[in-house]
Amino acid sequence: MTAEAPRNRRKNLDGTAQEEPPLGPPWDLPLASAPLLFVDLEMTGLHPATDRIIEICAQRVRGDVLEASLTSLVRPESEVFGNSHVHGIQPGDLANAPPFSALCEPLEALAEGAIVVAHAADWDVAFLEAELARAGRPRRFSHFLDSLVLARRAFAFTSHSLASLCREFGIVREREHRAEDDVLALRAIFGRIVTELSPATPRHLWRVRVGERRARPELVEAAKEAAARGEPVRLRYRPAGRAAQELTVRITGVRTDLDPPLVLGYLLPSRSRRELRADRILALEPLHPSRPGGTDPDGAARGA
């Protein structure tokens, strides 16, 4: 089936770049303290205006704690149906299911103050907004986290679909394309992403961009600070089409006049020069020096 994709959700309606999420909670909470709403939907097709949600799973999670959840088949309030070959749900399975309008109140309670996380999230958000509007409870999810975008930055796989990521990480789904099993897989994949990208807050994840050549501002600032201190750092860096590398680098400067910025320096202990695109830096942390009187990783004695 072919269909037009939903509009680019990271742009405003006039096509300009989207503003960042609002300051404060939940976007600036420590990631382990931020309420996240992991969502997966099964639909009758790909057109939010005419197709319908027929299954939903939404799990509100804080850290490793599942706070509340909603899992249900959904009976469309119309005769539209399709995609059984994908999800395996048959019309008869929906005969006693509630309509989406009956699920709005518990769904809104789960979403209150939380950040939506989904895979290829444009689709899920577009369908949620369409169904809520039809139920007379319009709501816009203007900012959310897309695990597909995050996985594309974090991992050099040939495919970043949910099925491919499950295969790469050995995540077992009892039923593919069923909402609850997909949410459980999504949460496991999200944990892998967090380990790779080392974000402090959800905002740091929202700032991850693929194809937009945008560097995470907090990593650029950390690189500038490292250059000013003259101290080595440990970088996780993913070149195009290759797996992430762990590098020890002494940063000598940051070219912020370029887009994306370039981080200049040399590797330790080899001292080979490197120019690293800042948008491909996944994580950066100081390399804490050893006890006073020792040597730096490049062999230079300290305190001389």
Side-chain angles (χ1 to χ4, degrees), residues 231-234 248-249 268 285-290 297:
E231 296 176 355
V233 298
R234 183 177 290 108
T248 300
V249 181
L268 300 175
E285 61 180 3
L287 188 67
H288 298 295
S290 56

Side-chain angles (χ1 to χ4, degrees), residues 40 42 55 57 71 73 86-89 162 166 172-185:
D40 188 79
E42 299 303 327
E55 188 176 38
C57 180
T71 302
L73 291 169
V86 175
H87 44 62
I89 300 170
L162 198 66
C166 285
V172 177
R173 288 184 292 171
E174 291 187 13
R175 303 171 301 173
E176 291 189 17
H177 296 292
R178 293 301 300 269
E180 185 174 22
D181 295 272
D182 284 358
V183 162
L184 294 175

Side-chain angles (χ1 to χ4, degrees), residues 160-198:
H160 297 86
S161 69
L162 198 66
S164 296
L165 292 170
C166 285
R167 285 194 298 271
E168 293 285 351
F169 297 130
I171 297 168
V172 177
R173 288 184 292 171
E174 291 187 13
R175 303 171 301 173
E176 291 189 17
H177 296 292
R178 293 301 300 269
E180 185 174 22
D181 295 272
D182 284 358
V183 162
L184 294 175
L186 170 61
R187 289 175 56 189
I189 289 166
F190 187 80
R192 300 278 189 142
I193 290 169
V194 167
T195 297
E196 196 69 16
L197 298 182
S198 302

Side-chain angles (χ1 to χ4, degrees), residues 10 117-124 144-155 157-165 186 189-190 193 197 205 208-210 238:
R10 277 182 290 278
V117 184
H119 201 74
D122 284 347
W123 293 105
D124 297 86
F144 48 84
L145 296 177
D146 188 339
S147 57
L148 175 59
V149 171
L150 298 174
R152 284 173 173 164
R153 171 54 73 222
F155 309 115
F157 301 144
T158 55
S159 170
H160 297 86
S161 69
L162 198 66
S164 296
L165 292 170
L186 170 61
I189 289 166
F190 187 80
I193 290 169
L197 298 182
L205 288 175
V208 172
R209 296 289 184 267
V210 175
R238 192 171 83 73

Side-chain angles (χ1 to χ4, degrees), residues 197-199 204 207-208 215-226 235-236 251 254 263 278-285:
L197 298 182
S198 302
H204 293 169
R207 287 171 170 170
V208 172
R216 289 161 55 187
E218 66 275 4
L219 294 183
V220 174
E221 288 303 312
K224 290 164 64 176
E225 291 171 7
L235 285 176
R236 190 176 303 118
I251 298 175
V254 181
V263 175
D279 61 318
R280 293 194 169 276
I281 296 175
L282 306 185
L284 185 156
E285 61 180 3

